[in-house]
Amino acid sequence: MAHPTMHLLLLSLLIATAAGKGLEKGPLENKVLDVPEGTPVPYALYQFQASHLEVDGFRLTGETEGKISVSEDGWLYLEQTLDWAHTQTHTLELEALVGSEPVEGPVSITINVVDVNNHAPSFNQTDYISIVKERTPAGVPFARVFATDLDDPESPNAHLSYTLVSQIPNRDNTLFFQINSNTGEISTTAEGERLLKARESVIHSRGGDFSDSLKKRFDDYCTPTEDIPYELNPFYSCVQRAESRRLNPLEDPDFTLIVRVEDMGGESVNALNGNTRVKIVVQENLWVNPGPINLREQLKGIYPMPIGKVQSNDPSAFYRLVQKERELTFPFNVTEDGDILLTEELDREDKAMYILVVFAEDSYGNQVDPPLEVQVVVDDVNDNAPICEEELSVFEVQENEPTGSPVGHLMVHDADDDNTPNALLSYSLVSQTPSSVFTIDGISGRIQAKQMLQRRDATEYHLTVRVNDPGFSTECKVLIKVIDINNELPIFEMNDYGSHNLSEDTALGHTLLTVKATDADDPGTGSSRIEFHITAGNEDGAFAMETDDNGEGRLVVAKPLNYETASSYKLQIDARNPEPLVSGLEYSAESSAVVSVTISDVDEAPVFDMDILDVTVPEDTKEGATLLKIDAKDPEGKEILFKMEGDTKGWLEIDPATGEIKIKNKAVLDRETVEAFHFTVVAFEKANPELSSEREVSVRLLDVNDNVPKLTENQAFICVKKPQPIVLTALDADADPFGAPFTFSLAQGKKSPNWDLSAVDGTSAKLTLKKSPSEDKTFLIPINIKDNAGMGITQKFEVRVCNCTELGYCFTEPGVHAGVLGMPTTIGILAGTVGFIALVLIIAFHRIKKDNQKKAVLGETDAIL
């Protein structure tokens, strides 16, 4: 029951509410109310009116959380503001009372808390650290920022958009970096790919110590006037400080990006936002593609022959070379130093270009740099003569053709490179019989008649043509036939081939009918040869004509038929000669025929809108989120359903009616379990499930930083007399940019009096003992390891410092063994041993006595028997 004071508050509130809108009231029945979170209180929601006239109160139960109450006259109101992030739905029950007895109800009341945009998005880190190599391709992510919003993820309030606010420094107002507004992935721009350069620094080889490399470099390039210790030389100290900053990007990044995230998709002036900084260090990229490499074919020299070199950013990398194409021979190799070798002479006519794929890997076969595709181009030399494509090239020309009429082109092939002078051909006539009446173009090989030809003069001419390239010569034979003029038309045997029916699933290449025509010109010549063409009614190219040399043509299906787009065709087929008709003669209706084709409908399987379905989603995508929506339709417009096959992880579910694919409740996507997976979506007719189509869907999971680097070993030992540094190695299941390189440091960044920790490479560090203890001692050293994005934890590493055997293993001198037993312990062990022996003897004597008694009984039995 509400306090009387609350009635007064409610009354004033109701008056204010009534001024803006009508009071909401109604009978005591089930009710669903939507209430925005943060609504000022007290706030009247709804008045329930009981039908029983003697009702003098109401009772509210359920998930009130002390925030929702009811007055004696049935007003449901808020006493405290609601919070969507805490509770999205309140389920209540309300009943009417007379005194304390319920007389009506209970009824169900559901209050849905409506989210309002009252939480600003926040990044999971205030500072990000990332490394980008020189010449990183534009658009390829090398880092990613990530933010969350406590508002409703299904509403625009939690729709986040990332923007790059500024780049520091930004000389010449040129942005080297860009950010994906949806994923937060950071990549280089085209200008960044071209212009980003690393600062010069001391480069030390595999296993080398930074200070040793610096001292050697200092000695190579500097000549001090007097013998000053390195630590006291101000120039050396300056360089050392600069290099120390290079090893710790937090102290001296090359670029700092200010990144902002906004909710409401960044499209509202009322959007809330958060900011972070991304510190970027540009590293030298030694992994450079040496291609394209140009080599002359048939190159003489000593094989294997070095033709190029690659160098990994990891000095300890191993190189491997494979061919991109599947060829029988692969005359290339790569040495352990990265030299690419050619093992034999190349022939451009066999293969003009090779694509070599070079891998740089660690000792476990893991890639330390992205693969390089190196092109090797084989340059041409003139080692091939021109070849006539036909042993005898035959052409036809009609008599009475005007002077200069084309006869044909002589086809000659040269296997050398068409784009070089080696394949530049020239043509010349060597001889022609019975008379010289033809000419040939010296560049194109085009033959023409120099005069009008008559069959009474000659029906055939024989020509010899010489074809030259810059180094070789070939002679080709040519036969030219003078044929009768084309003064007869091809005539169809019938001009209407009637109507034909085809189902829309008729196979391609199916012959619908055969047509015939005749020509009275000289047999075997271009004047009498007949070709058939479809000239009308075939706009979609569904049909085609196939012609033979005996005056027959076949009408065939050339493309899939579709009743829904074209249910009938009326085709016109023309018969034509390859030779032109004599002047004044035109083709007539006798040289044309028509045929009608009706397409019958077939119940076809559903058709997908897209052939390729590829999806990329972050691995932290929440349950219930939509992965994609499949669109398909039935050609006949029938209702279709969807199903999914091959989801071996059981992460997904599909709406059979809409094709919407969502992540199942309680399903957790994990890129470390599987980076990409595939499944099949089947669309089928509801009334006829056997009619179905399917498409494969490929899903790639985008990595988020949900793993930290962890030490592969958590203990080691150091020999006192010959202390050697311990190499610590860490692994991180996340992919770039959330994996290596790692940052190793002693916990809290404090300097240890006993230990020094320095980086070796991107995944390991060196732990060095500064001062040996006077006796065996075990240290628990807290080591902090962070990944490339600055995420990590502190881990304990146990080191035992001990005396060692000659083989290098720990041992403890007998006189100082920490575990030597005292006299009471020794006596106790001896007493226990004696007691155990006594117990064994007692059991043995007891068994012997029982055996003797058993034998005595058996003896008496034998005597009686």
Side-chain angles (χ1 to χ4, degrees):
M1 298 297 178
H3 192 276
T5 306
M6 184 58 67
H7 285 290
L8 295 176
L9 289 172
L10 281 172
L11 181 60
S12 61
L13 180 63
L14 291 174
I15 293 172
T17 304
K21 65 174 184 177
L23 299 176
E24 295 189 64
K25 59 180 65 177
L28 186 61
E29 59 185 13
N30 295 340
K31 192 71 176 174
V32 177
L33 300 172
D34 293 330
V35 181
E37 65 172 332
T39 298
V41 293
Y43 184 81
L45 301 175
Y46 192 84
Q47 185 181 28
F48 291 92
Q49 297 173 328
S51 59
H52 199 288
L53 298 178
E54 298 180 4
V55 167
D56 57 5
F58 292 83
R59 181 161 56 209
L60 184 66
T61 57
E63 301 168 347
T64 65
E65 298 182 357
K67 301 177 180 180
I68 308 168
S69 296
V70 66
S71 65
E72 292 181 355
D73 48 0
W75 276 103
L76 189 69
Y77 64 93
L78 299 180
E79 289 191 272
Q80 298 181 30
T81 57
L82 304 182
D83 184 0
W84 181 92
H86 182 268
T87 305
Q88 288 85 49
T89 302
H90 295 265
T91 303
L92 313 170
E93 285 191 345
L94 181 65
E95 51 189 355
L97 307 177
V98 174
S100 60
E101 294 297 323
V103 295
E104 194 173 337
V107 296
S108 174
I109 303 173
T110 301
I111 295 180
N112 296 320
V113 184
V114 179
D115 180 51
V116 297
N117 193 18
N118 59 350
H119 293 94
S122 61
F123 287 94
N124 62 342
Q125 294 174 214
T126 55
D127 289 283
Y128 292 82
I129 307 168
S130 189
I131 294 174
V132 61
K133 293 282 197 304
E134 296 174 335
R135 296 179 294 279
T136 296
V140 176
F142 66 86
R144 185 182 178 212
V145 296
F146 182 74
T148 56
D149 194 308
L150 295 178
D151 287 316
D152 185 358
E154 300 298 325
S155 72
N157 300 334
H159 178 203
L160 304 184
S161 177
Y162 301 90
T163 54
L164 184 59
V165 178
S166 63
Q167 166 192 295
I168 304 170
N170 186 10
R171 302 179 183 92
D172 301 324
N173 200 28
T174 300
L175 287 178
F176 293 153
F177 305 96
Q178 58 189 345
I179 190 167
N180 186 308
S181 61
N182 295 319
T183 65
E185 292 174 316
I186 298 174
S187 59
T188 59
T189 61
E191 291 79 8
E193 177 184 358
R194 183 169 55 90
L195 299 175
L196 280 178
K197 298 294 180 184
R199 286 184 282 182
E200 292 187 2
S201 60
V202 176
I203 301 174
H204 43 92
S205 61
R206 177 185 180 186
D209 182 78
F210 158 68
S211 59
D212 294 338
S213 298
L214 180 59
K215 290 173 183 176
K216 184 177 184 305
R217 192 72 172 266
F218 183 79
D219 289 339
D220 289 343
Y221 292 96
C222 304
T223 306
T225 56
E226 37 182 281
D227 190 10
I228 303 175
Y230 292 110
E231 292 74 12
L232 300 180
N233 189 306
F235 173 73
Y236 176 84
S237 301
C238 177
V239 176
Q240 185 183 44
R241 284 195 301 272
E243 283 306 304
S244 297
R245 287 196 300 271
R246 290 293 299 160
L247 293 176
N248 188 348
L250 268 175
E251 295 182 5
D252 189 18
D254 292 312
F255 294 92
T256 299
L257 307 181
I258 307 300
V259 177
R260 175 175 298 153
V261 60
E262 294 179 288
D263 57 21
M264 308 293 288
E267 298 178 355
S268 172
V269 294
N270 299 321
L272 305 179
N273 63 70
N275 296 283
T276 190
R277 291 179 297 178
V278 182
K279 298 180 178 180
I280 298 175
V281 172
V282 182
Q283 282 190 349
E284 183 178 18
N285 189 3
L286 304 175
W287 187 239
V288 180
N289 193 325
I293 301 172
N294 288 78
L295 298 173
R296 287 184 61 193
E297 63 174 331
Q298 313 299 341
L299 182 63
K300 305 302 179 183
I302 300 175
Y303 290 87
M305 177 186 295
I307 60 172
K309 185 178 180 64
V310 293
Q311 182 178 355
S312 171
N313 293 300
D314 185 345
S316 61
F318 298 90
Y319 300 102
R320 182 166 60 91
L321 186 65
V322 299
Q323 58 177 325
K324 185 173 183 180
E325 310 98 336
R326 295 185 178 273
E327 301 292 338
L328 294 178
T329 59
F330 186 64
F332 302 93
N333 208 338
V334 64
T335 69
E336 62 181 10
D337 295 324
D339 291 313
I340 300 175
L341 304 179
L342 175 64
T343 59
E344 62 185 51
E345 292 183 9
L346 301 177
D347 187 348
R348 193 205 68 85
E349 285 68 49
D350 289 339
K351 189 169 179 61
M353 186 180 71
Y354 296 83
I355 299 180
L356 320 181
V357 184
V358 188
F359 294 91
E361 300 170 336
D362 61 19
S363 56
Y364 299 101
N366 301 312
Q367 293 182 14
V368 297
D369 286 301
L372 293 179
E373 289 192 1
V374 182
Q375 291 186 357
V376 177
V377 179
V378 185
D379 292 335
D380 186 46
V381 296
N382 193 9
D383 56 350
N384 292 278
I387 298 175
C388 308
E389 291 197 357
E390 300 288 344
E391 186 176 347
L392 178 64
S393 298
V394 180
F395 300 99
E396 292 180 347
V397 59
Q398 292 185 46
E399 63 177 340
N400 297 325
E401 287 282 338
T403 300
S405 296
V407 175
H409 282 83
L410 180 61
M411 303 305 295
V412 181
H413 173 70
D414 193 313
D416 289 318
D417 189 352
D418 292 335
N419 297 314
T420 68
N422 300 329
L424 182 61
L425 304 181
S426 61
Y427 301 81
S428 61
L429 279 170
V430 177
S431 66
Q432 45 183 318
T433 57
S435 60
S436 178
V437 295
F438 297 99
T439 183
I440 190 168
D441 186 283
I443 299 299
S444 67
R446 182 172 182 250
I447 300 174
Q448 292 174 281
K450 295 191 294 182
Q451 63 184 46
M452 188 178 295
L453 303 177
Q454 297 291 331
R455 284 173 57 84
R456 64 174 176 268
D457 296 332
T459 60
E460 292 183 350
Y461 290 84
H462 295 270
L463 284 65
T464 300
V465 178
R466 179 176 292 124
V467 185
N468 296 303
D469 71 12
F472 297 92
S473 177
T474 299
E475 290 189 353
C476 300
K477 301 298 181 180
V478 177
L479 172 61
I480 300 176
K481 296 180 179 181
V482 181
I483 64 174
D484 188 19
I485 59 174
N486 190 7
N487 58 356
E488 297 290 342
L489 298 176
I491 299 174
F492 274 98
E493 64 174 358
M494 64 177 69
N495 297 107
D496 191 340
Y497 281 86
S499 297
H500 299 264
N501 185 272
L502 289 176
S503 62
E504 63 177 331
D505 60 353
T506 299
L508 297 182
H510 171 76
T511 299
L512 177 60
L513 66 103
T514 300
V515 298
K516 292 184 179 181
T518 57
D519 192 302
D521 286 310
D522 285 348
T525 68
S527 298
S528 62
R529 189 178 306 119
I530 301 173
E531 297 174 347
F532 297 94
H533 307 277
I534 302 175
T535 57
N538 191 38
E539 286 74 16
D540 59 358
F543 298 93
M545 289 300 301
E546 294 180 352
T547 304
D548 56 23
D549 291 331
N550 58 7
E552 290 186 350
R554 292 180 299 277
L555 179 63
V556 299
V557 178
K559 289 184 178 180
L561 304 176
N562 190 336
Y563 171 84
E564 284 70 34
T565 58
S567 60
S568 64
Y569 296 84
K570 188 171 183 178
L571 306 176
Q572 177 177 321
I573 303 172
D574 290 343
R576 296 292 185 263
N577 299 133
E579 289 292 333
L581 295 174
V582 66
S583 178
L585 182 65
E586 301 290 339
Y587 287 103
S588 66
E590 294 177 307
S591 300
S592 298
V594 294
V595 58
S596 298
V597 183
T598 302
I599 309 300
S600 59
D601 191 21
V602 174
D603 193 4
E604 299 173 279
V607 179
F608 287 88
D609 285 357
M610 293 186 293
D611 291 329
I612 300 175
L613 298 172
D614 293 333
V615 184
T616 300
V617 294
E619 63 174 325
D620 62 346
T621 303
K622 302 301 183 184
E623 60 182 72
T626 299
L627 187 69
L628 77 158
K629 186 178 184 300
I630 304 294
D631 289 320
K633 60 183 178 181
D634 185 79
E636 289 74 42
K638 297 180 181 179
E639 183 179 358
I640 63 172
L641 297 176
F642 298 90
K643 64 180 179 179
M644 188 169 55
E645 297 175 349
D647 177 22
T648 57
K649 297 296 180 183
W651 287 340
L652 308 173
E653 60 185 3
I654 188 169
D655 188 314
T658 65
E660 187 175 22
I661 299 176
K662 292 185 175 183
I663 299 173
K664 281 184 180 178
N665 290 335
K666 300 184 179 179
V668 180
L669 305 182
D670 185 11
R671 192 205 64 86
E672 286 68 45
T673 300
V674 57
E675 186 171 352
F677 61 94
H678 312 275
F679 60 90
T680 301
V681 174
V682 181
F684 58 93
E685 287 187 5
K686 182 177 181 181
N688 186 8
E690 293 183 357
L691 275 179
S692 63
S693 300
E694 60 183 43
R695 286 289 183 274
E696 184 180 72
V697 182
S698 299
V699 181
R700 183 174 70 91
L701 297 181
L702 188 65
D703 191 30
V704 298
N705 203 0
D706 55 352
N707 293 278
V708 296
K710 294 183 179 179
L711 290 169
T712 57
E713 303 286 344
N714 57 15
Q715 59 183 3
F717 68 87
I718 293 178
C719 298
V720 173
K721 294 184 179 180
K722 293 182 179 180
Q724 295 293 327
I726 299 171
V727 176
L728 309 178
T729 302
L731 293 176
D732 191 323
D734 288 320
D736 188 66
F738 303 127
F742 304 141
T743 302
F744 294 80
S745 63
L746 297 173
Q748 288 85 41
K750 298 178 180 178
K751 290 188 176 181
S752 169
N754 300 315
W755 301 97
D756 182 57
L757 187 64
S758 59
V760 175
D761 53 34
T763 60
S764 58
K766 182 170 59 178
L767 183 65
T768 305
L769 179 64
K770 293 181 179 178
K771 180 179 179 183
S772 300
S774 57
E775 58 183 9
D776 284 11
K777 188 172 182 181
T778 299
F779 295 86
L780 280 177
I781 306 171
I783 296 176
N784 185 269
I785 311 174
K786 293 182 179 179
D787 60 22
N788 190 28
M791 183 175 175
I793 59 174
T794 298
Q795 304 166 55
K796 297 289 185 181
F797 188 79
E798 180 181 314
V799 181
R800 181 182 174 192
V801 182
C802 59
N803 293 306
C804 293
T805 65
E806 292 183 357
L807 297 177
Y809 296 100
C810 280
F811 83 104
T812 305
E813 298 178 9
V816 297
H817 198 294
V820 172
L821 303 178
M823 184 60 70
T825 306
T826 304
I827 293 174
I829 292 174
L830 290 174
T833 304
V834 171
F836 176 74
I837 294 172
L839 179 62
V840 172
L841 290 174
I842 291 172
I843 294 173
F845 285 136
H846 179 68
R847 285 188 172 276
I848 292 171
K849 185 176 179 181
K850 285 186 69 177
D851 289 343
N852 290 336
Q853 289 175 351
K854 186 174 183 182
K855 288 179 180 178
V857 172
L858 292 173
E860 292 176 0
T861 305
D862 292 340
I864 293 173
L865 294 172

